[in-house]
Amino acid sequence: MSNSMFIGGQEGLEGIVAPPFNPNNKPISWDMLIRGAILSIISYMGGKRALVKQLVPLIEWAGREYGLDTFITATGGACRVLLNLDPDRLIFTRRVYSDVDYSLASLFHVLTDESMTRKLILRLTYLDYTEYVFKAAQKARWADDRLARLGKFEEASDYVTAAANMYILAKMSYAANLKSINWLTVVKKRDKYYQDVLKLHQFNSILSGVKVFRMDCRKLIREVESRQNGYDPKRTIIFCDVPYDTDECLIKKHYDYSWDKRDHIKFRELIKDCEAYLIICGYRSELYDVLVEKYPERWQRVFLKSKHVSSSASGYHQDEYIYINFKLSPEMYALIESER
């Protein structure tokens, strides 16, 4: 690689030096935006709450710098990045949430609509905070997941029911693993659970107009690149928090939708020449380092921070990176470093 930039001893830009940037497009830090607390609806395994103060300013800077109007979170998860984007929508007038998990996609679809949100709140309010309710939601979600994988959506739970199941599992489970109930939460946080339920309508204005899909991120990227459904890849940024490369994980636990090494290699080949602006989030991986090594004029690897692994034993941390196919200004790197 011809040139490298290191900030504070950590990796910055790898590859050729970035071209001149718009001098009027200064990165706006989270504190300068005066947004207060990070907005969140549920916790989720591998969630990006700890990275929001870096990712949101970066994405908004890229939107201004490159004249983008579409933001896609292609592996939506807990939707933390999208929830905290510019609320006035001066950037990214078109916003898309997608996740392959039927119940998760249902939750955010319901929250785009006031009427469905009222039904969800009513449903959750009348369901007890008990292990029985938790296990019933778990069983129903597994059944819906099997049906969704088979494409039998007409046999799956309606959107409100599926959304309720996801909310129950995410809020009641240990470390949001969706598998085991957190008894400490049952004892100490039951009241807060119902308070949060009653506040769900507050997210309607943020999610109104957001298009929600249950779709594999690879299919969605292909749609964007082929300009289907009105997408223009040159005006689109895609945030993709793909399943971790398990070779790089401290804890060898898998999501319900896991990828093996072959899946990652195929995905790498899919994205290497994309016209859309891409942010691939995860741990540093040799599989994706190949992009930086082969195409340093296009692909960069950026260190964000060392983040606690919520599903691990106390004290476990692992470094989080992004792989991007566009350049960042020195000021943007400085902002990222300041939030480590």
Side-chain angles (χ1 to χ4, degrees):
M1 291 173 283
S2 56
N3 294 291
S4 295
M5 181 185 297
F6 295 88
I7 300 175
Q10 298 286 359
E11 290 169 289
L13 177 63
E14 297 189 11
I16 65 171
V17 176
F21 295 100
N22 176 5
N24 296 318
N25 182 22
K26 302 294 184 182
I28 303 173
S29 71
W30 186 266
D31 292 336
M32 289 177 64
L33 291 170
I34 317 176
R35 291 187 182 168
I38 294 171
L39 296 176
S40 180
I41 297 172
I42 59 170
S43 295
Y44 195 67
M45 291 284 285
K48 294 296 174 270
R49 187 183 190 284
L51 305 179
V52 163
K53 290 187 177 182
Q54 293 173 307
L55 290 171
V56 167
L58 186 159
I59 291 167
E60 293 184 351
W61 173 89
R64 295 189 300 270
E65 184 69 32
Y66 296 106
L68 311 179
D69 59 18
T70 300
F71 171 78
I72 297 175
T73 179
T75 48
C79 196
R80 292 248 176 71
V81 172
L82 190 152
L83 284 173
N84 289 281
L85 285 179
D86 165 35
D88 297 322
R89 304 197 187 193
L90 300 177
I91 315 170
F92 306 121
T93 54
R94 184 181 188 184
R95 302 182 179 195
V96 176
Y97 172 99
S98 179
D99 199 282
V100 72
D101 187 304
Y102 175 77
S103 298
L104 196 56
S106 293
L107 174 61
F108 289 100
H109 173 63
V110 166
L111 292 174
T112 65
D113 180 83
E114 292 183 6
S115 177
M116 287 194 292
T117 300
R118 285 195 294 270
K119 293 178 181 177
L120 174 61
I121 291 172
L122 188 62
R123 177 79 57 86
L124 292 170
T125 300
Y126 280 93
L127 286 171
D128 292 332
Y129 197 131
T130 64
E131 185 176 19
Y132 174 82
V133 169
F134 179 87
K135 288 187 173 180
Q138 192 176 61
K139 183 178 179 180
R141 176 176 173 265
W142 285 340
D144 287 339
D145 181 62
R146 288 195 297 271
L147 291 168
R149 288 173 188 255
L150 294 171
K152 298 181 178 181
F153 298 104
E154 70 283 353
E155 298 180 28
S157 300
D158 63 85
Y159 295 139
V160 172
T161 300
N165 291 334
M166 175 52 67
Y167 190 85
I168 288 165
L169 294 175
K171 296 286 277 189
M172 293 187 188
S173 60
Y174 174 76
N177 65 10
L178 313 183
K179 298 175 181 178
S180 55
I181 192 165
N182 186 345
W183 290 107
L184 180 64
T185 301
V186 173
V187 174
K188 293 187 175 182
K189 298 184 179 179
R190 185 178 186 277
D191 289 344
K192 186 178 184 306
Y193 170 84
Y194 286 107
Q195 291 170 9
D196 289 345
V197 168
L198 295 175
K199 294 176 182 177
L200 284 174
H201 70 278
Q202 296 178 3
F203 295 99
N204 288 157
S205 60
I206 299 172
L207 293 171
S208 176
V210 173
K211 299 299 181 183
V212 178
F213 301 102
R214 182 214 172 259
M215 186 182 296
D216 187 284
C217 64
R218 293 161 288 194
K219 180 180 178 182
L220 184 51
I221 289 172
R222 291 189 187 99
E223 279 197 4
V224 173
E225 288 298 301
S226 60
R227 291 172 166 76
Q228 297 179 43
N229 298 317
Y231 290 119
D232 179 352
K234 294 182 178 180
R235 295 179 64 82
T236 299
I237 190 166
I238 303 173
F239 177 70
C240 207
D241 183 20
V242 297
Y244 289 123
D245 174 4
T246 53
D247 287 344
E248 311 302 333
C249 293
L250 293 172
I251 305 299
K252 306 300 182 183
K253 290 185 178 180
H254 297 267
Y255 295 102
D256 291 331
Y257 292 85
S258 295
W259 288 5
D260 59 21
K261 184 175 182 178
R262 183 167 50 184
D263 290 322
H264 281 285
I265 291 173
K266 288 181 177 179
F267 181 72
R268 184 187 68 199
E269 293 305 299
L270 169 66
I271 65 173
K272 68 178 182 180
D273 295 318
C274 279
E275 288 187 274
Y277 295 76
L278 296 176
I279 301 174
I280 309 302
C281 197
Y283 301 145
R284 180 172 178 176
S285 167
E286 292 181 359
L287 296 174
Y288 293 97
D289 282 347
V290 171
L291 293 172
V292 180
E293 293 162 2
K294 284 190 173 182
Y295 314 104
E297 75 287 350
R298 180 168 172 77
W299 282 93
Q300 325 297 321
R301 182 184 64 235
V302 182
F303 170 65
L304 296 181
K305 65 169 58 175
S306 183
K307 188 168 78 75
H308 177 251
V309 180
S310 61
S311 60
S312 71
S314 177
Y316 275 46
H317 287 73
Q318 198 145 4
D319 291 346
E320 290 269 1
Y321 287 81
I322 52 174
Y323 292 83
I324 58 176
N325 64 349
F326 56 93
K327 306 296 185 183
L328 300 180
S329 68
E331 293 87 354
M332 191 65 246
Y333 278 106
L335 187 151
I336 290 171
E337 183 191 27
S338 72
E339 291 293 348
R340 287 177 184 151

